[in-house]
Amino acid sequence: MRATDRSTTSSPQHTGNCVNKPSVSSYLCVSPRPLRLCVKISVWCRLTSFPEPGTTTAKVFLIPESSYAQWRLHSGSAFVFHDDGSIPPEYLLQAVWQHQRLQRDNLSLADGRRIRILHPGFLNREGGPDFKGAVIQIENAAPITGDIEVDLQASGWKAHGHDRNPAFKNVVLHVIWGTPDSAPGSPIALSVSSKLDAPLGELAYWITSEATQALPELFRGKCSAPLRDLPEARVTELLLEAAEIRFRSKAVQLQARARQAGWEQALWEGIFRALGYKHNTWPMQCLAEHRGEWMERRIDVPRLQARLFGLSGLLPAELTRAQRSADDYLRSSWDIWWRERNEFESWVLPKNLWRFHGQRPANHPQRRLALAAHWLALGDLQERLEKWCAAPIPGRKLASSLLEALQIGPDDFWQWHWTLRSARMTKPQPLLGITRVTDLAVNVILPWLWVRAVEGRNTSLAEMIRARFYAWPPAEDNSILRLGCQRLLGNRSARNLETAAKQQGLIQITRDFCDRSDATCENCRFPELVRSAAGRSKLMTARESRTMPP
């Protein structure tokens, strides 16, 4: 029996005293009842059914009435389009492709052949094609690795001289907005104008949500000096306004996927992407997108781990011959996988999708898949998250309480090994720590819970979830935050970003402005906008000082 016959979307079984208890999902998606009712519920049932794909209708992504939102709009960092046949700028089309804001399970070429995007490639900021190292699959043919060029019209291929430029010889797909062109010498073309996962207006607003030692003043951003002139409270306000943009964009991306596949599937895809970290988000998403094909109810962890390793293409074909514990685990995984690999052959990913260079051992995709297998086998992840959402939790315990909610049972192999071929560690390491919990919270879990509450028009619950986002403790420092602190905030340390929301705000500003300019800040409007805000702040301070009584 195929895994598709073992559907995981059937109605939950209610037993015992739970049968008359409402589940928190009713407060997230349906019920307008106030939050206090959620908090009173101590015994929770299994999840109620999620809305069918295509049933989400709430308009939740309105432009916030904040200074920062207006700055983005008037500086060109954000675009406003109407769904009336508008043609987007090429930059927006590149962002759509990079983030795959497409109906990925419904893509086809002009001749009707089905195409799967196993990896969209890596954005190329230098000469040559727009994306390098993409992996596509047409029908059931072997996956193809190559480059992607993005143009508004198919005619751009020859008009821009790509057909004569050797740098474009490895292009395997021409992504366009207009009608495909079958002219000789042109690559296969994919038109995406009718394959977006959300209206163009939403995508235009979403686009900019998502580059080492202190820098000398000369090499800091031109906004560094005017930012220093802003009062600390105004800098904080600016960071939080930018964080709001980032939070909503993540929520709307999850909502867009829920329209197609339902809320539960949108959550799993978000979690898998987050577990992929920087370099392996797309193969992780590819696995999650076909969860309905390979997942079944009541499956144990070892079998599910072996299946995920096989599907991912990450199950080694050779023993280490040196690490007995690793070889024993590998043999047992192969004992499971060889019996069922023919059944799942259509969904196996090529190993070259994965990137390992510069990867920390704790972030290796094999280890992350082992963790995901535990959550999938438990079968109650959504219920855990909704219980956690409804519980009253002080700000200082947010991260630790979510870590407890996501905790898994012991894993005799993965507590002692980084990868399938690594030596046994001298002391055990948990599969999930507080750092990864924070990343999951701010990037997936909180946006997913919030947009469901908005869908259900439950204002009090939505505000409580949003408050948790703003109160969340900071995540681990990273290269983007370090760059932002040095180029934008000058002498302010990354440690001064005492909440995850402030960190998210700084990342958003970096994406909105720094990533659109060069190291000299050429044509960047952010310094001018900050300078104007600093001038108004000084004027207000001067007025207040003149009106103060002696």
Side-chain angles (χ1 to χ4, degrees), residues 472-488:
W472 205 274
E476 193 175 52
D477 196 12
N478 59 46
S479 60
I480 300 175
L481 290 173
R482 288 191 292 270
L483 177 66
C485 284
Q486 291 156 5
R487 282 188 56 77
L488 278 70

Side-chain angles (χ1 to χ4, degrees), residues 33 60 92 190 315 326 350 382-383 394 459 463 489 491 504 518 535:
R33 282 181 258 184
V60 303
L92 175 54
L190 172 66
L315 192 59
Q382 291 76 32
E383 182 182 7
T459 304
E463 284 304 306
L489 301 185
N491 57 1
Q504 291 285 299
D518 57 17

Side-chain angles (χ1 to χ4, degrees), residues 91-379:
Y91 173 75
L92 175 54
L93 194 55
Q94 289 175 340
V96 166
W97 180 260
Q98 181 180 12
H99 296 278
Q100 290 289 282
R101 295 302 307 272
L102 304 167
Q103 300 173 36
R104 284 169 49 81
D105 53 356
N106 189 31
L107 298 178
S108 59
L109 303 173
D111 59 8
R113 287 182 296 168
R114 213 167 27 88
I115 183 171
R116 294 176 63 201
I117 310 304
L118 301 181
H119 199 300
F122 299 96
L123 183 63
N124 177 29
R125 298 188 181 278
E126 301 177 355
D130 292 309
F131 294 87
K132 293 277 196 175
V135 184
I136 66 173
Q137 184 179 30
I138 299 174
E139 292 291 347
N140 294 321
I144 304 170
T145 299
D147 301 332
I148 306 292
E149 177 61 11
V150 177
D151 285 311
L152 293 180
Q153 303 295 339
S155 59
W157 180 258
K158 291 189 175 181
H160 301 157
H162 300 331
D163 59 326
R164 304 182 301 275
N165 189 338
F168 290 79
K169 66 180 181 180
N170 292 325
V171 169
V172 295
L173 188 67
H174 193 199
V175 176
I176 60 173
W177 182 260
T179 304
D181 185 0
S182 57
S186 299
I188 296 170
L190 172 66
S191 177
V192 299
S193 56
S194 63
K195 299 299 183 181
L196 305 179
D197 71 358
L200 190 57
E202 277 188 24
L203 290 174
Y205 191 66
W206 153 86
I207 183 175
T208 51
S209 305
E210 299 274 327
T212 282
Q213 317 311 338
L215 296 174
E217 183 72 26
L218 177 64
F219 299 115
R220 290 177 185 167
K222 291 180 180 178
C223 57
S224 178
L227 277 169
R228 285 199 302 270
D229 291 338
L230 281 180
E232 192 70 32
R234 183 63 186 108
V235 174
T236 295
E237 182 182 6
L238 188 62
L239 290 171
L240 295 183
E241 287 176 355
E244 178 80 7
I245 296 287
R246 192 168 180 82
F247 179 77
R248 291 191 181 202
S249 75
K250 292 179 184 297
V252 169
Q253 185 174 3
L254 290 164
Q255 183 195 36
R257 181 55 178 157
R259 291 186 186 126
Q260 302 174 40
W263 289 108
E264 182 180 14
Q265 180 64 17
L267 173 64
W268 279 114
E269 290 181 16
I271 287 175
F272 268 62
R273 280 180 58 85
L275 292 178
Y277 305 97
K278 180 179 180 180
H279 296 305
N280 291 308
T281 56
W282 291 114
M284 280 289 195
Q285 177 161 329
C286 282
L287 286 173
E289 285 174 341
H290 297 289
R291 184 177 65 95
E293 303 293 336
W294 50 258
M295 185 59 191
E296 61 189 80
R297 302 178 70 176
R298 293 183 294 276
I299 181 173
D300 59 43
V301 172
R303 185 180 175 195
L304 191 49
Q305 286 178 345
R307 184 176 295 177
L308 285 173
F309 297 146
L311 287 165
S312 66
L314 296 178
L315 192 59
E318 301 290 337
L319 301 176
T320 68
R321 306 295 183 186
Q323 309 298 334
R324 180 175 178 180
S325 57
D327 285 349
D328 288 345
Y329 181 85
L330 190 54
R331 285 191 188 94
S332 65
S333 296
W334 268 108
D335 284 344
I336 296 170
W337 176 241
W338 77 265
R339 291 184 174 89
E340 59 184 32
R341 61 180 174 178
N342 288 339
E343 180 182 357
F344 301 110
E345 187 176 7
S346 298
W347 315 114
V348 175
L349 301 180
K351 187 177 180 180
N352 64 358
L353 280 182
W354 302 90
R355 293 184 65 184
F356 307 105
H357 181 70
Q359 188 99 213
R360 293 181 181 179
N363 295 343
H364 195 284
Q366 290 172 347
R367 189 170 174 82
R368 299 301 101 199
L369 288 174
L371 172 62
H374 277 273
W375 286 333
L376 286 160
L378 286 169

Side-chain angles (χ1 to χ4, degrees), residues 331-493:
R331 285 191 188 94
S332 65
S333 296
W334 268 108
D335 284 344
I336 296 170
W337 176 241
W338 77 265
R339 291 184 174 89
E340 59 184 32
R341 61 180 174 178
N342 288 339
E343 180 182 357
F344 301 110
E345 187 176 7
S346 298
W347 315 114
V348 175
L349 301 180
K351 187 177 180 180
N352 64 358
L353 280 182
W354 302 90
R355 293 184 65 184
F356 307 105
H357 181 70
Q359 188 99 213
R360 293 181 181 179
N363 295 343
H364 195 284
Q366 290 172 347
R367 189 170 174 82
R368 299 301 101 199
L369 288 174
L371 172 62
H374 277 273
W375 286 333
L376 286 160
L378 286 169
D380 65 348
L381 181 64
Q382 291 76 32
E383 182 182 7
R384 291 185 182 203
L385 293 178
E386 291 172 348
K387 286 182 180 180
W388 173 83
C389 176
I393 303 169
R396 68 182 184 278
K397 293 185 177 180
L398 285 173
S400 59
S401 65
L402 183 56
L403 176 61
E404 182 178 353
L406 294 175
Q407 205 53 258
I408 61 173
D411 191 308
D412 293 338
F413 180 81
W414 288 104
Q415 285 178 316
W416 294 95
H417 294 81
W418 294 122
T419 71
L420 283 166
R421 298 178 65 86
S422 66
R424 182 181 170 89
M425 292 182 279
T426 56
K427 59 180 181 180
Q429 295 291 333
L431 276 170
L432 182 66
I434 203 73
T435 298
R436 187 49 44 195
V437 163
T438 290
D439 289 342
L440 287 168
V442 300
N443 291 308
V444 182
I445 294 171
L446 291 174
W448 181 78
L449 290 168
W450 178 80
V451 78
R452 288 184 66 196
V454 172
E455 281 268 1
R457 296 177 175 81
N458 192 331
T459 304
S460 59
L461 181 57
E463 284 304 306
M464 183 271 286
I465 296 167
R466 187 166 164 268
R468 289 190 180 182
F469 170 72
Y470 283 111
W472 205 274
E476 193 175 52
D477 196 12
N478 59 46
S479 60
I480 300 175
L481 290 173
R482 288 191 292 270
L483 177 66
C485 284
Q486 291 156 5
R487 282 188 56 77
L488 278 70
L489 301 185
N491 57 1
R492 290 184 174 94
S493 167

